[in-house]
Amino acid sequence: MDKSRALLKSLGFLEREAYDLPDSPKRFPDGAQYRVEIPSVEGPEALKAVFEEADRYGIRIHRVSQGSGIMLLTDAEISEMVELCAARGVELSLFVGPRGTWDISALPLTPAGKVVALRHEGIDQLVYAMEDLQRANRLGVRGALVADEGLLLLTKEMKKQGLIAADFVVKVSVQMMAANPVSIKLMEDIGADTYNLPTALTLPKLASIRPAVDIPLDLYVEAPDGLGGFIRHYEIPEFIRVLSPVYIKFGLRNHPDVYPSGQHLEQININLCRERVRRAYMGLELLKQYAPDLVTSELGVADLGIPVPPRS
């Protein structure tokens, strides 16, 4: 194995897993080590519930993300979410709408075909996804999730050509599932501004990824059932210490599938969002108890993908 390890070292990667779990020296631009994300916020009413609960528990939420897609929100709904997040200095990240699992191909629904997951089949789906991003950008959104390597590269070019804002935060979804330092470095090189790590990586594997990339990493500390259902709250201090800068992401175990969402599931979504914030409160209380010195960001810092409401 010596030659293989030597090759990795020559390319700037670690030779073996970081079993020593070193402190990450890297930080967000404001000097913070961690931020908090609430996922699956499927519309303005769910977003209001998130903010209400955050105020009730006295916790700071830096990013909210959504999974049903830009294409399944009306202009009015997106605009309301833009206004709500802009007022609080919170990043809003909406998923690109068109995806393989919702198109006519049966392949993503087969046992082996699940690997294509949310990737885009053919040129037209890429075009639809690019249109989704441009629509969100026009409405003031400055952050979106993607789950396709080709689309990720295109977002980099879209920024260069002014099709989306230069500071638009492109978040790579956990559905991409790249789980080693070399693959995640590739994602950074082709346009990722932040990367959602797979949910079941051990601390040494996580610590091995951080030296390879400079972008923030996102990690579920409670994962939905479809991503394993893990609840790793007691590891939060270590996640932050070895992965900084990192978004600590509070999903929810044992909940119904709400994708794609809409008004027929709205009350369920609201209740789920309230519980996610409650879980975040509990996780942050543990963090306060075991690692009170770890530093988080204020709301409104410049590198967050805070929406910019269009001028009327």
Side-chain angles (χ1 to χ4, degrees), residues 62-78:
H62 302 87
R63 174 197 280 163
V64 292
S65 54
Q66 175 256 14
S68 295
I70 298 160
M71 65 182 278
L72 292 181
L73 289 169
T74 67
D75 284 7
E77 288 168 336
I78 293 174

Side-chain angles (χ1 to χ4, degrees), residues 22-166:
D23 290 354
S24 169
K26 299 178 182 180
R27 299 291 185 268
F28 286 103
D30 63 344
Q33 294 164 283
Y34 75 96
R35 294 172 181 172
V36 176
E37 177 179 348
I38 300 294
S40 302
V41 181
E42 302 303 298
E45 296 307 313
L47 179 59
K48 291 174 189 175
V50 166
F51 290 158
E52 286 172 7
E53 294 300 288
D55 290 343
R56 185 160 77 89
Y57 286 109
I59 63 173
R60 194 177 303 165
I61 293 167
H62 302 87
R63 174 197 280 163
V64 292
S65 54
Q66 175 256 14
S68 295
I70 298 160
M71 65 182 278
L72 292 181
L73 289 169
T74 67
D75 284 7
E77 288 168 336
I78 293 174
S79 295
E80 187 173 3
M81 295 179 81
V82 162
E83 294 284 351
L84 288 167
C85 287
R88 294 178 71 106
V90 172
E91 180 173 314
L92 174 63
S93 190
L94 305 179
F95 218 123
V96 171
R99 59 190 72 171
T101 48
W102 294 356
D103 206 355
I104 60 175
S105 173
L107 183 61
L109 308 179
T110 65
K114 288 179 181 178
V115 296
V116 302
L118 307 188
R119 288 172 171 80
H120 304 291
E121 294 184 347
I123 289 292
D124 284 349
Q125 269 206 357
L126 284 171
V127 171
Y128 303 154
M130 293 165 70
E131 290 295 303
D132 228 27
L133 288 166
Q134 290 173 80
R135 173 175 170 245
N137 185 79
R138 288 194 299 271
L139 293 170
V141 177
R142 291 297 180 268
L145 294 94
V146 304
D148 182 281
E149 299 90 334
L151 180 62
L152 179 58
L153 179 59
L154 288 170
T155 63
K156 191 173 183 179
E157 296 302 316
M158 290 171 74
K159 289 181 183 183
K160 289 179 182 177
Q161 297 188 29
L163 297 178
I164 57 175

Side-chain angles (χ1 to χ4, degrees), residues 244-286:
S244 170
V246 61
Y247 283 87
I248 298 301
K249 186 171 178 178
F250 290 90
L252 188 61
R253 183 173 184 168
N254 190 29
H255 73 76
D257 183 5
V258 295
Y259 295 148
S261 195
Q263 291 186 1
H264 60 309
L265 296 170
E266 185 154 272
Q267 192 55 55
I268 294 173
N269 277 318
I270 290 170
N271 292 340
L272 293 173
C273 282
R274 291 189 186 279
E275 183 59 23
R276 288 186 191 98
V277 178
R278 177 174 169 271
R279 295 289 228 273
Y281 168 73
M282 291 189 288
L284 293 173
E285 284 294 291
L286 286 174

Side-chain angles (χ1 to χ4, degrees), residues 37 63 119 145-147 149 152 169-181 183-188 190-199 201 206 209-210 213-220 243 245-247 249:
E37 177 179 348
R63 174 197 280 163
R119 288 172 171 80
L145 294 94
V146 304
E149 299 90 334
L152 179 58
V169 176
V170 178
K171 171 177 161 63
V172 176
S173 166
V174 67
Q175 301 285 352
M176 288 277 276
M177 292 296 180
N180 65 72
S183 295
I184 296 169
K185 173 61 175 166
L186 177 62
M187 298 299 107
E188 181 181 49
I190 64 174
D193 296 310
T194 175
Y195 186 85
N196 200 145
L197 297 164
T199 59
L201 295 178
L206 291 168
I209 290 166
R210 172 39 77 200
V213 295
D214 294 323
I215 56 174
L217 298 169
D218 318 333
L219 183 66
Y220 276 102
L243 287 178
V246 61
Y247 283 87
K249 186 171 178 178

